[in-house]
Amino acid sequence: MSPLTDLSWTRTGDGGLRLHRERIGARGSLRVLRAGICGTDLQIQRGVRPDGASVLGHEGLAEHCAPDGPVRGVFNPVDSADQDRILGHSYDGVFRRRYPEAPGDLVRRSLVPARPDLVADLTVLAEPLGAVLYGWDLLGARGPADTVGVWGSGTTAVLAALVGEIRGVSTILVHPRRERLEYLRRREVLATTRLTGGAPGGGVTAAFVCLPREAAGEAFAQAALAVEEDAPIDLFGGFGTGTRHELTGDLDLNSVRRSNVCGVPRSGGARPVTLPSGKRIRLTGHRGTSPGHLLRAQDLLAAYPERFGRVLSHVLSLEAAGPALRSMAADRPGRRLTGEHLKVLIDPTMPAGTTRAPDLLTTVADIPHHC
């Protein structure tokens, strides 16, 4: 086979991105079919996370040309044997047309089979939804919650609330910016969740904190005060190594997340904490997902394509993705190229420089094979 062009968005030393072209072998590569832009990608891009990958991206769908025929799968980015080895964080990710594969490469080996009947655009939600399902598992370890508070308004926060709605749980989504809450109302992505700009008061029996590092501390304080005695709080994100909070003293909040890795609880799953007020809460969280979570996520996406389709807000070609990613990371909401957004996804199979609306008809099986 003749060499192929690998086109990728590569981070530069000055905080920018450049479109990089190189020739790679036709054999031993993954063809990236869809890729999702995650909030952690934006944090790395704006320099609030220390991750060293030159090419970002860890969510989506790829095709591997196996000896027995093409195989399609969704990415499972965290190495279960080394939680510091993460696709698109510690090593180069999938914002590219083809992923150059080495023999026995972890990326290919970690692919979880994609459902052929799943809407192709929804595959970018498999990993974040799998992570949300993991969080729901941890929150429900001692029994189902009556009312779940979700602090945040990005993709994972909305998915956490949406799963609660599907399960018939009362959910409250908390975010301080009025324009953001109005955007979610207009999209009608959530049907029964109460959207509020302030602390929800009492009655919250479990909580998610789904915010970037700059805002997670304040959200955690609100959640800790809002939940009832002995309630669990899932530290979904926003807490780097060594992060501490005045309500929890010397406890490294990231160590709580690191105790549950890719579906395996390593130290009991939750950490009991007594707040200065004397109230007891339980903290939990996790890193990565298991193949089982990703399979469950795909089943849920396939069962509710219209509901989850509302989470998809923009679809960009690979060439159009770099300027949008820079703007999403650095600009204020009113000045972003995308405007308000939820899940922005990249379709590397689209013509250069184009955009389109989310497609809820084309399935994984409908994408032409290139093996």
Side-chain angles (χ1 to χ4, degrees):
M1 294 184 179
S2 60
L4 300 168
T5 299
D6 174 31
L7 187 67
S8 63
W9 282 103
T10 302
R11 297 167 64 207
T12 60
D14 59 359
L17 290 166
R18 67 183 178 92
L19 200 57
H20 177 67
R21 295 178 185 271
E22 64 178 350
R23 305 292 278 180
I24 61 172
R27 294 188 183 276
S29 67
L30 299 177
R31 180 182 174 224
V32 180
L33 303 175
R34 299 290 189 274
I37 298 178
C38 175
T40 57
D41 298 321
L42 304 181
Q43 292 176 56
I44 297 170
Q45 180 62 29
R46 64 174 173 261
V48 297
R49 295 178 61 105
D51 308 81
S54 295
V55 180
L56 302 177
H58 59 271
E59 303 169 344
L61 174 71
E63 178 180 81
H64 168 58
C65 294
D68 296 333
V71 176
R72 289 175 172 174
V74 295
F75 297 109
N76 192 9
V78 178
D79 184 351
S80 60
D82 180 1
Q83 61 179 287
D84 291 320
R85 181 172 164 81
I86 305 174
L87 175 66
H89 285 233
S90 64
Y91 66 102
D92 286 352
V94 301
F95 290 164
R96 60 207 315 161
R97 188 152 286 140
R98 286 186 174 270
Y99 193 96
E101 181 193 6
D105 187 80
L106 177 65
V107 177
R108 176 183 59 77
R109 289 188 286 111
S110 298
L111 286 178
V112 174
R115 284 183 57 139
D117 62 338
L118 181 60
V119 170
D121 282 1
L122 289 178
T123 58
V124 302
L125 296 179
E127 193 274 336
L129 180 57
V132 163
L133 293 176
Y134 193 175
W136 273 97
D137 290 348
L138 294 168
L139 289 184
R142 292 192 179 182
D146 296 323
T147 300
V148 174
V150 181
W151 272 258
S153 67
T155 298
T156 53
V158 169
L159 289 175
L162 184 50
V163 169
E165 289 188 355
I166 291 171
R167 295 184 175 188
V169 177
S170 175
T171 51
I172 304 168
L173 186 141
V174 184
H175 189 76
R177 190 162 62 86
R178 181 178 59 186
E179 295 84 358
R180 183 63 176 178
L181 297 180
E182 183 56 35
Y183 171 73
L184 296 180
R185 291 190 183 96
R186 291 197 309 270
R187 290 194 64 82
E188 298 181 335
V189 65
L190 296 171
T192 60
T193 298
R194 177 161 68 93
L195 307 180
T196 179
V204 177
T205 54
F208 285 92
V209 176
C210 305
L211 281 146
R213 295 187 178 188
E214 304 97 311
E218 182 177 352
F220 170 67
Q222 287 189 11
L225 295 175
V227 297
E228 294 188 344
E229 180 80 12
D230 203 37
I233 299 177
D234 181 54
L235 306 178
F236 196 91
F239 302 96
T241 301
T243 300
R244 289 167 172 77
H245 195 281
E246 60 183 6
L247 293 180
T248 53
D250 290 334
L251 176 63
D252 178 354
L253 296 179
N254 193 46
S255 70
V256 174
R257 300 184 62 226
R258 296 177 74 94
S259 67
N260 300 297
V261 184
C262 296
V264 181
R266 294 190 173 177
S267 62
R271 188 80 60 89
V273 172
T274 301
L275 303 179
S277 65
K279 181 169 70 175
R280 292 169 299 175
I281 59 175
R282 290 180 290 117
L283 301 184
T284 189
H286 69 275
R287 302 257 289 180
T289 53
S290 69
H293 289 119
L294 295 179
L295 293 172
R296 286 168 54 195
Q298 291 184 70
D299 290 344
L300 198 57
L301 292 166
Y304 299 94
E306 294 292 338
R307 296 201 69 179
F308 286 103
R310 293 178 183 273
V311 180
L312 307 177
S313 61
H314 299 74
V315 186
L316 312 173
S317 69
L318 181 64
E319 292 80 358
L325 193 152
R326 280 195 299 264
S327 179
M328 290 163 63
D331 295 338
R332 292 183 176 277
R335 300 179 62 86
R336 291 173 187 154
L337 295 178
T338 56
E340 294 281 358
H341 59 80
L342 266 175
K343 177 55 72 177
V344 178
L345 67 108
I346 301 167
D347 179 353
T349 71
M350 287 168 56
T354 60
T355 64
R356 63 170 172 82
D359 170 12
L360 299 185
L361 297 177
T362 301
T363 67
V364 170
D366 291 332
I367 301 175
H369 293 289
H370 279 205
C371 290

